[in-house]
Short mmCIF file of all heavy atoms in Angstrom, two decimals:
data_model
loop_
_atom_site.label_atom_id
_atom_site.label_comp_id
_atom_site.label_asym_id
_atom_site.label_seq_id
_atom_site.Cartn_x
_atom_site.Cartn_y
_atom_site.Cartn_z
N MET L 1 -7.42 -25.04 47.22
CA MET L 1 -6.26 -25.27 48.05
C MET L 1 -6.40 -24.48 49.34
O MET L 1 -6.74 -23.31 49.32
CB MET L 1 -5.01 -24.84 47.29
CG MET L 1 -3.75 -25.08 48.07
SD MET L 1 -2.25 -24.66 47.15
CE MET L 1 -2.37 -25.82 45.82
N LYS L 2 -6.13 -25.08 50.45
CA LYS L 2 -6.22 -24.42 51.75
C LYS L 2 -5.04 -23.47 51.95
O LYS L 2 -3.96 -23.71 51.44
CB LYS L 2 -6.21 -25.45 52.87
CG LYS L 2 -7.39 -26.36 52.87
CD LYS L 2 -7.25 -27.36 54.00
CE LYS L 2 -8.33 -28.40 53.94
NZ LYS L 2 -8.13 -29.44 54.92
N ASN L 3 -5.26 -22.42 52.73
CA ASN L 3 -4.19 -21.48 53.02
C ASN L 3 -3.00 -22.13 53.69
O ASN L 3 -1.87 -21.74 53.47
CB ASN L 3 -4.70 -20.34 53.90
CG ASN L 3 -4.88 -19.07 53.11
OD1 ASN L 3 -4.61 -19.04 51.92
ND2 ASN L 3 -5.34 -18.04 53.76
N SER L 4 -3.22 -23.13 54.53
CA SER L 4 -2.11 -23.79 55.21
C SER L 4 -1.21 -24.52 54.22
O SER L 4 -0.04 -24.71 54.47
CB SER L 4 -2.63 -24.76 56.27
OG SER L 4 -3.41 -25.75 55.64
N GLU L 5 -1.75 -24.90 53.06
CA GLU L 5 -0.96 -25.55 52.03
C GLU L 5 -0.24 -24.54 51.15
O GLU L 5 0.68 -24.87 50.45
CB GLU L 5 -1.86 -26.44 51.16
CG GLU L 5 -2.50 -27.58 51.91
CD GLU L 5 -3.53 -28.29 51.06
OE1 GLU L 5 -3.53 -28.11 49.83
OE2 GLU L 5 -4.33 -29.03 51.63
N ASN L 6 -0.70 -23.31 51.17
CA ASN L 6 -0.18 -22.26 50.32
C ASN L 6 -0.09 -20.97 51.14
O ASN L 6 -0.81 -20.02 50.87
CB ASN L 6 -1.11 -22.10 49.11
CG ASN L 6 -0.52 -21.21 48.06
OD1 ASN L 6 0.67 -20.98 48.01
ND2 ASN L 6 -1.38 -20.69 47.21
N PRO L 7 0.80 -20.93 52.15
CA PRO L 7 0.84 -19.77 53.04
C PRO L 7 1.39 -18.52 52.35
O PRO L 7 2.32 -18.59 51.57
CB PRO L 7 1.77 -20.21 54.16
CG PRO L 7 2.66 -21.22 53.53
CD PRO L 7 1.80 -21.91 52.49
N TRP L 8 0.78 -17.39 52.65
CA TRP L 8 1.23 -16.11 52.12
C TRP L 8 2.15 -15.47 53.13
O TRP L 8 1.89 -15.48 54.32
CB TRP L 8 0.02 -15.21 51.86
CG TRP L 8 -0.82 -15.70 50.72
CD1 TRP L 8 -1.88 -16.53 50.80
CD2 TRP L 8 -0.62 -15.40 49.35
NE1 TRP L 8 -2.38 -16.76 49.55
CE2 TRP L 8 -1.63 -16.08 48.63
CE3 TRP L 8 0.29 -14.62 48.63
CZ2 TRP L 8 -1.74 -16.00 47.25
CZ3 TRP L 8 0.16 -14.54 47.26
CH2 TRP L 8 -0.84 -15.23 46.57
N LYS L 9 3.23 -14.88 52.63
CA LYS L 9 4.21 -14.20 53.49
C LYS L 9 4.36 -12.76 53.01
O LYS L 9 4.53 -12.52 51.82
CB LYS L 9 5.54 -14.92 53.44
CG LYS L 9 5.43 -16.31 54.00
CD LYS L 9 6.75 -17.02 53.99
CE LYS L 9 6.49 -18.37 54.62
NZ LYS L 9 7.38 -19.38 54.32
N LYS L 10 4.32 -11.85 53.96
CA LYS L 10 4.46 -10.43 53.64
C LYS L 10 5.93 -10.06 53.52
O LYS L 10 6.77 -10.56 54.26
CB LYS L 10 3.81 -9.59 54.72
CG LYS L 10 3.71 -8.12 54.36
CD LYS L 10 3.06 -7.32 55.44
CE LYS L 10 1.64 -7.81 55.63
NZ LYS L 10 0.89 -7.01 56.57
N SER L 11 6.22 -9.16 52.62
CA SER L 11 7.58 -8.67 52.45
C SER L 11 8.07 -8.02 53.74
O SER L 11 7.34 -7.31 54.42
CB SER L 11 7.62 -7.63 51.33
OG SER L 11 8.85 -6.95 51.33
N THR L 12 9.32 -8.26 54.06
CA THR L 12 9.91 -7.64 55.26
C THR L 12 10.11 -6.15 55.06
O THR L 12 10.30 -5.41 56.02
CB THR L 12 11.26 -8.29 55.60
OG1 THR L 12 12.13 -8.17 54.48
CG2 THR L 12 11.08 -9.76 55.96
N TYR L 13 10.03 -5.68 53.83
CA TYR L 13 10.20 -4.25 53.55
C TYR L 13 8.92 -3.45 53.81
O TYR L 13 8.93 -2.24 53.73
CB TYR L 13 10.64 -4.03 52.10
CG TYR L 13 12.04 -4.50 51.85
CD1 TYR L 13 12.28 -5.73 51.26
CD2 TYR L 13 13.13 -3.72 52.22
CE1 TYR L 13 13.57 -6.17 51.03
CE2 TYR L 13 14.42 -4.15 52.00
CZ TYR L 13 14.63 -5.37 51.40
OH TYR L 13 15.91 -5.80 51.19
N SER L 14 7.83 -4.11 54.13
CA SER L 14 6.56 -3.40 54.33
C SER L 14 6.53 -2.65 55.64
O SER L 14 5.75 -1.72 55.81
CB SER L 14 5.38 -4.36 54.26
OG SER L 14 5.39 -5.21 55.39
N GLY L 15 7.33 -3.05 56.61
CA GLY L 15 7.35 -2.37 57.90
C GLY L 15 6.05 -2.48 58.66
O GLY L 15 5.76 -1.65 59.51
N GLY L 16 5.24 -3.47 58.34
CA GLY L 16 3.97 -3.66 59.04
C GLY L 16 2.89 -2.67 58.66
O GLY L 16 1.89 -2.54 59.34
N THR L 17 3.06 -1.97 57.53
CA THR L 17 2.09 -0.94 57.14
C THR L 17 1.00 -1.44 56.20
O THR L 17 0.12 -0.69 55.84
CB THR L 17 2.81 0.23 56.45
OG1 THR L 17 3.40 -0.24 55.24
CG2 THR L 17 3.84 0.86 57.35
N ASN L 18 1.07 -2.69 55.79
CA ASN L 18 0.11 -3.26 54.84
C ASN L 18 0.15 -2.58 53.49
O ASN L 18 -0.81 -2.60 52.75
CB ASN L 18 -1.32 -3.22 55.38
CG ASN L 18 -1.65 -4.47 56.14
OD1 ASN L 18 -0.88 -5.41 56.17
ND2 ASN L 18 -2.81 -4.49 56.76
N GLN L 19 1.27 -1.95 53.15
CA GLN L 19 1.41 -1.31 51.85
C GLN L 19 2.53 -1.97 51.06
O GLN L 19 3.47 -1.33 50.64
CB GLN L 19 1.66 0.18 52.02
CG GLN L 19 0.48 0.88 52.64
CD GLN L 19 0.64 2.37 52.63
OE1 GLN L 19 1.45 2.91 51.91
NE2 GLN L 19 -0.16 3.04 53.42
N CYS L 20 2.39 -3.24 50.92
CA CYS L 20 3.43 -4.00 50.23
C CYS L 20 2.79 -5.21 49.56
O CYS L 20 1.58 -5.28 49.42
CB CYS L 20 4.49 -4.44 51.24
SG CYS L 20 6.11 -4.58 50.49
N VAL L 21 3.62 -6.15 49.17
CA VAL L 21 3.12 -7.35 48.54
C VAL L 21 3.33 -8.55 49.45
O VAL L 21 4.14 -8.52 50.37
CB VAL L 21 3.81 -7.62 47.18
CG1 VAL L 21 3.51 -6.51 46.21
CG2 VAL L 21 5.30 -7.81 47.35
N GLU L 22 2.58 -9.59 49.17
CA GLU L 22 2.75 -10.87 49.84
C GLU L 22 3.05 -11.89 48.74
O GLU L 22 2.57 -11.76 47.62
CB GLU L 22 1.48 -11.28 50.58
CG GLU L 22 1.13 -10.36 51.71
CD GLU L 22 -0.19 -10.71 52.38
OE1 GLU L 22 -1.12 -11.15 51.69
OE2 GLU L 22 -0.26 -10.55 53.59
N ILE L 23 3.86 -12.89 49.09
CA ILE L 23 4.15 -13.94 48.13
C ILE L 23 3.80 -15.30 48.73
O ILE L 23 3.75 -15.47 49.94
CB ILE L 23 5.62 -13.94 47.67
CG1 ILE L 23 6.56 -14.28 48.83
CG2 ILE L 23 5.99 -12.62 47.03
CD1 ILE L 23 7.96 -14.61 48.36
N SER L 24 3.55 -16.22 47.84
CA SER L 24 3.29 -17.60 48.23
C SER L 24 4.08 -18.48 47.27
O SER L 24 3.89 -18.40 46.05
CB SER L 24 1.80 -17.92 48.15
OG SER L 24 1.59 -19.27 48.49
N ARG L 25 4.98 -19.27 47.81
CA ARG L 25 5.84 -20.11 46.97
C ARG L 25 5.42 -21.57 47.05
O ARG L 25 5.26 -22.12 48.12
CB ARG L 25 7.28 -19.98 47.41
CG ARG L 25 7.77 -18.55 47.25
CD ARG L 25 9.19 -18.44 47.61
NE ARG L 25 9.94 -18.77 46.40
CZ ARG L 25 11.25 -18.69 46.30
NH1 ARG L 25 11.95 -18.34 47.34
NH2 ARG L 25 11.85 -18.97 45.17
N LEU L 26 5.25 -22.14 45.90
CA LEU L 26 5.02 -23.57 45.77
C LEU L 26 6.22 -24.17 45.06
O LEU L 26 7.17 -23.45 44.72
CB LEU L 26 3.73 -23.84 45.00
CG LEU L 26 2.45 -23.34 45.66
CD1 LEU L 26 1.26 -23.59 44.76
CD2 LEU L 26 2.24 -24.01 47.01
N ARG L 27 6.19 -25.45 44.82
CA ARG L 27 7.33 -26.11 44.20
C ARG L 27 7.67 -25.51 42.83
O ARG L 27 8.83 -25.25 42.53
CB ARG L 27 7.05 -27.59 44.04
CG ARG L 27 8.23 -28.37 43.52
CD ARG L 27 7.91 -29.81 43.40
NE ARG L 27 7.23 -30.25 44.62
CZ ARG L 27 7.32 -31.44 45.13
NH1 ARG L 27 8.02 -32.36 44.51
NH2 ARG L 27 6.69 -31.78 46.21
N SER L 28 6.67 -25.25 42.01
CA SER L 28 6.96 -24.82 40.64
C SER L 28 6.51 -23.39 40.32
O SER L 28 6.77 -22.90 39.22
CB SER L 28 6.31 -25.77 39.64
OG SER L 28 4.90 -25.77 39.83
N THR L 29 5.86 -22.71 41.26
CA THR L 29 5.39 -21.35 41.01
C THR L 29 5.52 -20.47 42.24
O THR L 29 5.62 -20.96 43.36
CB THR L 29 3.90 -21.33 40.59
OG1 THR L 29 3.12 -21.86 41.65
CG2 THR L 29 3.65 -22.11 39.30
N THR L 30 5.50 -19.16 41.99
CA THR L 30 5.42 -18.16 43.06
C THR L 30 4.28 -17.22 42.69
O THR L 30 4.19 -16.74 41.56
CB THR L 30 6.72 -17.36 43.20
OG1 THR L 30 7.76 -18.24 43.60
CG2 THR L 30 6.59 -16.26 44.24
N SER L 31 3.40 -16.96 43.66
CA SER L 31 2.28 -16.04 43.44
C SER L 31 2.52 -14.77 44.24
O SER L 31 3.13 -14.79 45.31
CB SER L 31 0.97 -16.68 43.89
OG SER L 31 0.69 -17.81 43.10
N VAL L 32 2.02 -13.65 43.72
CA VAL L 32 2.19 -12.34 44.34
C VAL L 32 0.82 -11.68 44.42
O VAL L 32 0.03 -11.74 43.48
CB VAL L 32 3.12 -11.44 43.49
CG1 VAL L 32 3.37 -10.12 44.17
CG2 VAL L 32 4.41 -12.14 43.18
N ARG L 33 0.54 -11.03 45.57
CA ARG L 33 -0.73 -10.31 45.71
C ARG L 33 -0.51 -9.04 46.51
O ARG L 33 0.48 -8.87 47.22
CB ARG L 33 -1.78 -11.18 46.38
CG ARG L 33 -1.52 -11.47 47.84
CD ARG L 33 -2.59 -12.35 48.42
NE ARG L 33 -2.37 -12.59 49.85
CZ ARG L 33 -3.07 -13.41 50.57
NH1 ARG L 33 -4.06 -14.11 50.01
NH2 ARG L 33 -2.82 -13.56 51.85
N ASP L 34 -1.47 -8.14 46.42
CA ASP L 34 -1.46 -6.88 47.16
C ASP L 34 -1.88 -7.15 48.60
O ASP L 34 -2.94 -7.71 48.86
CB ASP L 34 -2.45 -5.92 46.50
CG ASP L 34 -2.48 -4.54 47.12
OD1 ASP L 34 -1.95 -4.34 48.22
OD2 ASP L 34 -3.07 -3.65 46.49
N SER L 35 -1.05 -6.75 49.56
CA SER L 35 -1.36 -7.04 50.97
C SER L 35 -2.58 -6.26 51.46
O SER L 35 -3.21 -6.67 52.42
CB SER L 35 -0.15 -6.74 51.86
OG SER L 35 0.15 -5.36 51.82
N LYS L 36 -2.92 -5.16 50.79
CA LYS L 36 -4.10 -4.38 51.19
C LYS L 36 -5.40 -5.00 50.69
O LYS L 36 -6.46 -4.74 51.22
CB LYS L 36 -4.01 -2.95 50.66
CG LYS L 36 -2.91 -2.13 51.30
CD LYS L 36 -2.89 -0.73 50.73
CE LYS L 36 -2.44 -0.83 49.28
NZ LYS L 36 -2.23 0.45 48.64
N ARG L 37 -5.29 -5.81 49.64
CA ARG L 37 -6.47 -6.42 49.03
C ARG L 37 -6.22 -7.91 48.76
O ARG L 37 -6.24 -8.35 47.62
CB ARG L 37 -6.80 -5.70 47.74
CG ARG L 37 -7.20 -4.26 47.96
CD ARG L 37 -7.48 -3.56 46.64
NE ARG L 37 -7.87 -2.20 46.87
CZ ARG L 37 -7.03 -1.18 46.93
NH1 ARG L 37 -5.75 -1.38 46.77
NH2 ARG L 37 -7.47 0.05 47.14
N PRO L 38 -6.01 -8.67 49.80
CA PRO L 38 -5.61 -10.07 49.62
C PRO L 38 -6.67 -10.96 48.96
O PRO L 38 -6.33 -12.02 48.44
CB PRO L 38 -5.31 -10.56 51.04
CG PRO L 38 -6.05 -9.63 51.92
CD PRO L 38 -6.09 -8.31 51.21
N ARG L 39 -7.91 -10.54 48.94
CA ARG L 39 -8.95 -11.39 48.33
C ARG L 39 -9.10 -11.16 46.84
O ARG L 39 -9.80 -11.91 46.16
CB ARG L 39 -10.28 -11.14 49.03
CG ARG L 39 -10.22 -11.63 50.46
CD ARG L 39 -11.57 -11.90 51.00
NE ARG L 39 -11.39 -12.70 52.20
CZ ARG L 39 -11.90 -12.41 53.36
NH1 ARG L 39 -12.66 -11.36 53.49
NH2 ARG L 39 -11.68 -13.18 54.40
N LEU L 40 -8.42 -10.14 46.32
CA LEU L 40 -8.47 -9.91 44.88
C LEU L 40 -7.52 -10.87 44.18
O LEU L 40 -6.83 -11.66 44.80
CB LEU L 40 -8.10 -8.46 44.56
CG LEU L 40 -9.09 -7.40 45.06
CD1 LEU L 40 -8.62 -6.01 44.66
CD2 LEU L 40 -10.49 -7.65 44.52
N LEU L 41 -7.46 -10.77 42.87
CA LEU L 41 -6.63 -11.67 42.08
C LEU L 41 -5.15 -11.51 42.42
O LEU L 41 -4.73 -10.49 42.96
CB LEU L 41 -6.84 -11.39 40.60
CG LEU L 41 -8.25 -11.61 40.08
CD1 LEU L 41 -8.34 -11.19 38.63
CD2 LEU L 41 -8.68 -13.05 40.25
N HIS L 42 -4.38 -12.52 42.08
CA HIS L 42 -2.94 -12.48 42.28
C HIS L 42 -2.24 -12.89 40.98
O HIS L 42 -2.87 -13.43 40.08
CB HIS L 42 -2.53 -13.41 43.43
CG HIS L 42 -2.93 -14.82 43.23
ND1 HIS L 42 -4.15 -15.30 43.64
CD2 HIS L 42 -2.29 -15.86 42.65
CE1 HIS L 42 -4.24 -16.57 43.33
NE2 HIS L 42 -3.13 -16.94 42.72
N LEU L 43 -0.97 -12.59 40.89
CA LEU L 43 -0.16 -12.97 39.74
C LEU L 43 0.64 -14.21 40.10
O LEU L 43 1.17 -14.31 41.20
CB LEU L 43 0.81 -11.85 39.37
CG LEU L 43 0.20 -10.50 39.02
CD1 LEU L 43 1.29 -9.46 38.84
CD2 LEU L 43 -0.64 -10.63 37.76
N THR L 44 0.74 -15.15 39.17
CA THR L 44 1.50 -16.37 39.41
C THR L 44 2.57 -16.51 38.33
O THR L 44 2.29 -16.35 37.15
CB THR L 44 0.58 -17.60 39.41
OG1 THR L 44 -0.39 -17.44 40.46
CG2 THR L 44 1.35 -18.88 39.65
N PHE L 45 3.80 -16.77 38.78
CA PHE L 45 4.95 -16.89 37.89
C PHE L 45 5.58 -18.27 38.05
O PHE L 45 5.72 -18.75 39.17
CB PHE L 45 6.03 -15.87 38.27
CG PHE L 45 5.59 -14.45 38.18
CD1 PHE L 45 5.03 -13.82 39.29
CD2 PHE L 45 5.75 -13.73 37.01
CE1 PHE L 45 4.63 -12.49 39.22
CE2 PHE L 45 5.36 -12.40 36.93
CZ PHE L 45 4.79 -11.79 38.05
N PRO L 46 6.02 -18.88 36.94
CA PRO L 46 6.86 -20.08 37.07
C PRO L 46 8.14 -19.67 37.81
O PRO L 46 8.58 -18.52 37.72
CB PRO L 46 7.16 -20.47 35.62
CG PRO L 46 6.08 -19.82 34.81
CD PRO L 46 5.74 -18.56 35.55
N GLN L 47 8.76 -20.61 38.52
CA GLN L 47 9.93 -20.27 39.34
C GLN L 47 11.05 -19.62 38.54
O GLN L 47 11.69 -18.68 39.01
CB GLN L 47 10.46 -21.52 40.07
CG GLN L 47 9.57 -22.01 41.17
CD GLN L 47 9.34 -20.99 42.29
OE1 GLN L 47 9.81 -19.87 42.28
NE2 GLN L 47 8.58 -21.40 43.28
N ARG L 48 11.30 -20.07 37.35
CA ARG L 48 12.38 -19.49 36.53
C ARG L 48 12.09 -18.02 36.22
O ARG L 48 12.99 -17.17 36.30
CB ARG L 48 12.55 -20.27 35.24
CG ARG L 48 13.63 -19.67 34.34
CD ARG L 48 13.86 -20.50 33.12
NE ARG L 48 14.83 -21.52 33.51
CZ ARG L 48 15.11 -22.59 32.81
NH1 ARG L 48 14.47 -22.82 31.70
NH2 ARG L 48 16.01 -23.44 33.22
N GLU L 49 10.85 -17.69 35.88
CA GLU L 49 10.49 -16.30 35.60
C GLU L 49 10.55 -15.45 36.86
O GLU L 49 10.97 -14.29 36.82
CB GLU L 49 9.10 -16.23 34.96
CG GLU L 49 9.08 -16.78 33.56
CD GLU L 49 7.71 -16.70 32.93
OE1 GLU L 49 6.85 -15.93 33.40
OE2 GLU L 49 7.49 -17.42 31.94
N TRP L 50 10.12 -16.00 38.00
CA TRP L 50 10.19 -15.28 39.27
C TRP L 50 11.65 -14.95 39.61
O TRP L 50 11.96 -13.82 39.99
CB TRP L 50 9.54 -16.11 40.37
CG TRP L 50 9.59 -15.46 41.71
CD1 TRP L 50 10.33 -15.87 42.79
CD2 TRP L 50 8.89 -14.29 42.15
NE1 TRP L 50 10.12 -15.02 43.85
CE2 TRP L 50 9.25 -14.04 43.49
CE3 TRP L 50 7.99 -13.43 41.53
CZ2 TRP L 50 8.74 -12.98 44.21
CZ3 TRP L 50 7.49 -12.37 42.25
CH2 TRP L 50 7.86 -12.15 43.57
N ALA L 51 12.53 -15.92 39.44
CA ALA L 51 13.95 -15.70 39.73
C ALA L 51 14.52 -14.61 38.80
O ALA L 51 15.31 -13.76 39.24
CB ALA L 51 14.74 -17.00 39.58
N SER L 52 14.11 -14.62 37.54
CA SER L 52 14.57 -13.59 36.59
C SER L 52 14.06 -12.21 36.98
O SER L 52 14.80 -11.22 36.90
CB SER L 52 14.10 -13.92 35.17
OG SER L 52 14.72 -15.08 34.70
N LEU L 53 12.82 -12.13 37.42
CA LEU L 53 12.25 -10.85 37.86
C LEU L 53 13.02 -10.32 39.07
O LEU L 53 13.41 -9.15 39.09
CB LEU L 53 10.77 -11.01 38.20
CG LEU L 53 10.09 -9.80 38.83
CD1 LEU L 53 10.08 -8.62 37.87
CD2 LEU L 53 8.68 -10.16 39.27
N LEU L 54 13.26 -11.16 40.06
CA LEU L 54 14.00 -10.73 41.24
C LEU L 54 15.41 -10.28 40.89
O LEU L 54 15.91 -9.27 41.40
CB LEU L 54 14.04 -11.84 42.29
CG LEU L 54 12.72 -12.19 42.96
CD1 LEU L 54 12.95 -13.30 43.98
CD2 LEU L 54 12.08 -10.99 43.60
N SER L 55 16.05 -11.01 40.00
CA SER L 55 17.40 -10.65 39.57
C SER L 55 17.40 -9.28 38.90
O SER L 55 18.27 -8.44 39.18
CB SER L 55 17.93 -11.72 38.62
OG SER L 55 19.20 -11.38 38.15
N ALA L 56 16.44 -9.03 38.03
CA ALA L 56 16.34 -7.73 37.35
C ALA L 56 16.07 -6.61 38.35
O ALA L 56 16.65 -5.53 38.25
CB ALA L 56 15.26 -7.78 36.28
N LEU L 57 15.20 -6.85 39.32
CA LEU L 57 14.90 -5.83 40.32
C LEU L 57 16.11 -5.53 41.18
O LEU L 57 16.41 -4.36 41.48
CB LEU L 57 13.73 -6.28 41.21
CG LEU L 57 12.37 -6.35 40.54
CD1 LEU L 57 11.36 -7.00 41.45
CD2 LEU L 57 11.92 -4.96 40.10
N ARG L 58 16.85 -6.54 41.56
CA ARG L 58 18.07 -6.33 42.34
C ARG L 58 19.10 -5.55 41.55
O ARG L 58 19.76 -4.65 42.06
CB ARG L 58 18.64 -7.66 42.81
CG ARG L 58 17.84 -8.31 43.89
CD ARG L 58 18.49 -9.61 44.36
NE ARG L 58 17.62 -10.29 45.28
CZ ARG L 58 17.09 -11.49 45.08
NH1 ARG L 58 17.37 -12.17 43.99
NH2 ARG L 58 16.30 -12.03 45.97
N ARG L 59 19.24 -5.89 40.28
CA ARG L 59 20.20 -5.22 39.43
C ARG L 59 19.84 -3.74 39.28
O ARG L 59 20.69 -2.86 39.41
CB ARG L 59 20.23 -5.90 38.06
CG ARG L 59 21.33 -5.48 37.15
CD ARG L 59 21.42 -6.34 35.88
NE ARG L 59 20.14 -6.61 35.25
CZ ARG L 59 19.54 -7.80 35.23
NH1 ARG L 59 20.10 -8.84 35.82
NH2 ARG L 59 18.39 -7.97 34.63
N ASP L 60 18.56 -3.44 39.07
CA ASP L 60 18.11 -2.05 38.94
C ASP L 60 18.32 -1.29 40.24
O ASP L 60 18.69 -0.12 40.24
CB ASP L 60 16.64 -1.99 38.54
CG ASP L 60 16.43 -2.37 37.06
OD1 ASP L 60 17.43 -2.45 36.32
OD2 ASP L 60 15.27 -2.57 36.68
N THR L 61 18.07 -1.94 41.37
CA THR L 61 18.25 -1.30 42.67
C THR L 61 19.72 -1.00 42.90
O THR L 61 20.08 0.07 43.38
CB THR L 61 17.72 -2.21 43.80
OG1 THR L 61 16.33 -2.44 43.57
CG2 THR L 61 17.89 -1.56 45.16
N ASP L 62 20.60 -1.93 42.54
CA ASP L 62 22.04 -1.72 42.70
C ASP L 62 22.55 -0.59 41.83
O ASP L 62 23.51 0.09 42.18
CB ASP L 62 22.82 -3.00 42.38
CG ASP L 62 22.60 -4.09 43.42
OD1 ASP L 62 22.14 -3.77 44.54
OD2 ASP L 62 22.87 -5.26 43.11
N LEU L 63 21.90 -0.35 40.70
CA LEU L 63 22.31 0.72 39.79
C LEU L 63 21.72 2.06 40.19
O LEU L 63 22.00 3.07 39.55
CB LEU L 63 21.90 0.37 38.36
CG LEU L 63 22.57 -0.85 37.75
CD1 LEU L 63 21.98 -1.16 36.38
CD2 LEU L 63 24.08 -0.62 37.63
N GLY L 64 20.85 2.07 41.19
CA GLY L 64 20.23 3.31 41.63
C GLY L 64 19.05 3.74 40.78
O GLY L 64 18.66 4.88 40.78
N ALA L 65 18.48 2.80 40.02
CA ALA L 65 17.35 3.13 39.15
C ALA L 65 16.08 3.32 39.95
O ALA L 65 15.92 2.92 41.05
CB ALA L 65 17.14 2.02 38.12
#
């Protein structure tokens, strides 16, 4: 798959330091990779699992964890 078909986007929380993650969203999956090592392997989640992960992270952040 070409990069133009599966564009990677860096987190806005990285502040341009390359010390964050990048994601690539397709219709049924979201992939995550290390922005410092983009050629290494990445993790791919079905959309439902990705949404659950984000929800859990937001909940933990709101609780001050």
